[in-house]
Amino acid sequence: MAISEPAPPKGRAFDLDLPRRLPRVLDRAAAGHGRACLLLVIVALFAFLPGFFSLSPIDRDEARFAQATKQMLESGNYVDIRFHVQARHKKPVGIYWLQAASVKLGEAVAGPSARGSIAFYRVPSLLAAIGAVLLTYWTALVFLTRRGALVAGLVMASCVLLGVEARLAKTDAVLLFTILAAFGALARAYLLPPVERLSDVKLAAIFWTAMAAGILVKGPMTPLFVGLAVVTLVATERSGRFLLALKPLPGLLWCLLLVLPWFVAIYYVTNGAFYQHAVGVDMLGKVTEGQEGHWGPPGTYLLAVWGTFWPGVVLAAMAVPFAWKARREKPMRFLLAWVVPAWVVFEIAATKLPHYVLPLYPGLAIIAALALERGVLAKPGSRLAGLVWLWPVMAGLLAVGLGGAYVWLGSGFGLLAWPLLLIAVVLAVAAARALAREGAEGAFLTVVAAALVLYLAVYQVLLPQMRAVWISERLAAIAAQAGCPAENIASVPYQEPSLVFLVGTKINYIAPTEAAELLKKGGCALAFIERRMQPLFEQRAGELKLKYSAIATVDGFTYNGGRPVSITVYRSQEPGP
């Protein structure tokens, strides 16, 4: 006779009994590597896909990267990097090549329209973010059982910051992928005996290829993260013999073989200007002064991690006492060498951006999973255990903040978002309450479910419908309806990179007087003039006796400038040449 499961105690309907049931999913997934990877990919897709196709190009970095790639495709020049009418000598070519390959594949499948769709430029970031989740699992296998490595992978799959980078056509998700591949190989060289790891040749190939790929994507960043860990381990071990498994000399030659052709080519194409700007201005400027208004004092990342590494940050904080006690153990020594030196360096550097420390989050995830697997996380009732209430607090703050922003900036009712936000907060509360009853694993898996629901509401429903912030998209729609070519369109002073991507490379970013002169040439011509520039435009239009009309007004809010704007679209009524 089948024995039915006992009914859950009263009061547990609130959390749907998920903290007790979800660990069973982990049991089944941990039965084999294939199942484990499948679960991680499914969770990552649920976390990363909402909004992936519907969000407009984000200013300013994403739009700059995507537009530079678009201009590579337009010009056929895959060595030099240009944005609009300027050289873009900041990052190496790797991300542009990946995006160009993605768009080319998209054109083969979807036709020429793929080149104007931001989603195809985002594909490398999405694939790299999913790959980073899988590489977290692969790296964690050196320290944990398959089940524990799964938890570490889920920490990264649900991470706020990785979810953001998965949706942006820029370097950071791909950089994380290369760094994780290098750290996974380094961990095996440092911790595993030869009989338990890959052959030295395979291990070295992974390590040095990852280093080369990282250099082509973001210059010295992969060597910086990995190099700081290596120096720390060599200093604490007073030996670098573990590096022999990575074949340093042939590996370095292989790395140089992969990266030197483009670095030599860009030197000759730009006459050295790329290095003067990328190293002398961009990289050194970020170390010594806060570039583009992104300065922050030491401790900025320690504060930001509570939001950017949510929800996994709670487990990481609860694991701090364990990490300190186990600091002399070889596995923990490796993990601390991964996280601590680089964290200190970035806290000291003047420029602060949240994604700079993203490559350290997998190390924190593995520390948290290691403490969870050993049963040494802070216990219920302790001060650190009380941090689990950050799960519902952060979910609630995000729901209230974005919900309020939607009421102000959105269009439509967004009816689906409100129940989803409520479900997410309820699940987060259930996760916090479950710590004492079901333990940290069941509680964490429940908050992962809350995070997936929250991301669906935010990225798929709320953000795409906040039309007031998608100014470029609305202006581009007006330009498309008018049918005017980009070279006959001017915008003053609203000159965001997303507008170049959406309207066309040849759009004119000029002065208001020059915009009037452009319309005077006649034919199908438009000018996007913000309210504060209208007097100058109208004065010059009067001097030229320009025939024109206002065909639309776009009111919105610039999330970069943080101010309301009103842009009038003027159309020339002059006869064409």
Side-chain angles (χ1 to χ4, degrees), residues 7 107 143 203 216 248 290 318-319 324 329 372 453 475 477 488 496 500 543 570:
E107 289 177 331
F143 306 86
L203 210 60
L216 284 172
M318 292 168 64
W324 175 253
E329 296 179 14
L372 178 62
V453 176
L475 291 173
N488 289 354
E496 293 292 348
V500 184
E543 293 170 355
Y570 295 101

Side-chain angles (χ1 to χ4, degrees), residues 82-361:
R82 305 194 68 80
F83 168 77
H84 200 207
V85 296
Q86 300 171 337
R88 182 165 169 79
H89 295 159
K90 288 194 172 186
K91 303 294 185 292
V93 77
I95 191 63
Y96 306 103
W97 284 350
L98 291 173
Q99 290 179 0
S102 173
V103 174
K104 282 286 190 182
L105 183 60
E107 289 177 331
V109 174
S113 63
R115 188 170 296 187
S117 171
I118 190 63
F120 289 100
Y121 297 83
R122 289 171 174 165
V123 166
S125 293
L126 174 66
L127 296 179
I130 296 171
V133 171
L134 295 175
L135 283 175
T136 300
Y137 168 77
W138 179 66
T139 304
L141 288 171
V142 179
F143 306 86
L144 297 154
T145 64
R146 193 178 297 153
R147 185 188 184 92
L150 254 174
V151 171
L154 289 172
V155 170
M156 289 305 298
S158 59
C159 170
V160 166
L161 185 54
L162 183 56
V164 170
E165 295 300 335
R167 295 172 172 85
L168 295 178
K170 50 198 278 289
T171 57
D172 295 284
V174 178
L175 176 70
L176 175 64
F177 180 86
T178 66
I179 291 172
L180 267 171
F183 267 111
L186 182 64
R188 282 161 171 79
Y190 180 72
L191 291 167
L192 296 183
V195 293
E196 295 183 25
R197 66 186 185 223
L198 298 173
S199 70
D200 288 356
V201 172
K202 291 181 180 178
L203 210 60
I206 293 171
F207 182 84
W208 290 104
T209 303
M211 293 288 279
I215 291 169
L216 284 172
V217 167
K218 208 166 182 179
M221 299 314 296
T222 297
L224 173 67
F225 280 100
V226 178
L228 285 170
V230 167
V231 169
T232 303
L233 291 172
V234 170
T236 54
E237 292 281 337
R238 297 183 181 178
S239 171
R241 290 187 60 82
F242 64 92
L243 294 172
L244 296 177
L246 299 176
K247 308 289 185 185
L249 184 56
L252 183 59
L253 291 174
W254 169 244
C255 180
L256 292 174
L257 180 65
L258 293 175
V259 304
L260 277 181
W262 179 80
F263 280 99
V264 171
I266 195 65
Y267 176 83
Y268 283 104
V269 167
T270 66
N271 197 27
F274 175 86
Y275 294 100
Q276 293 173 15
H277 193 279
V279 179
V281 178
D282 188 55
M283 187 177 72
L284 294 180
K286 288 177 179 176
V287 174
T288 58
E289 57 186 40
Q291 284 196 343
E292 300 175 1
H294 298 306
W295 177 86
T300 296
Y301 291 117
L302 198 58
L303 181 63
V305 71
W306 297 97
T308 57
F309 193 36
W310 186 90
V313 64
V314 171
L315 295 187
M318 292 168 64
V320 167
F322 157 70
W324 175 253
K325 291 177 183 177
R327 65 189 183 279
R328 291 186 176 86
E329 296 179 14
K330 203 168 183 180
M332 186 57 68
R333 186 184 303 164
F334 181 92
L335 293 170
L336 293 177
W338 179 349
V339 173
V340 175
W343 197 290
V344 171
V345 167
F346 281 95
E347 290 285 17
I348 293 172
T351 302
K352 299 286 196 303
L353 285 169
H355 59 261
Y356 284 179
V357 294
L358 177 60
L360 307 181
Y361 287 4

Side-chain angles (χ1 to χ4, degrees), residues 480-541:
Q481 186 176 14
C484 299
E487 57 265 31
N488 289 354
I489 299 175
S491 185
V492 189
Y494 181 81
Q495 299 181 347
E496 293 292 348
S498 58
L499 192 60
V500 184
F501 179 83
L502 292 170
V503 172
T505 302
K506 295 183 179 180
I507 187 174
N508 298 276
Y509 282 175
I510 51 182
T513 53
E514 294 172 311
E517 293 164 5
L518 178 68
L519 265 59
K520 184 63 178 177
K521 294 178 181 178
C524 186
L526 301 175
F528 305 149
I529 310 295
E530 193 180 337
R531 179 179 297 161
R532 55 197 169 119
M533 291 294 172
Q534 286 177 5
L536 291 174
F537 171 80
E538 292 170 355
Q539 179 183 347
R540 183 57 178 158

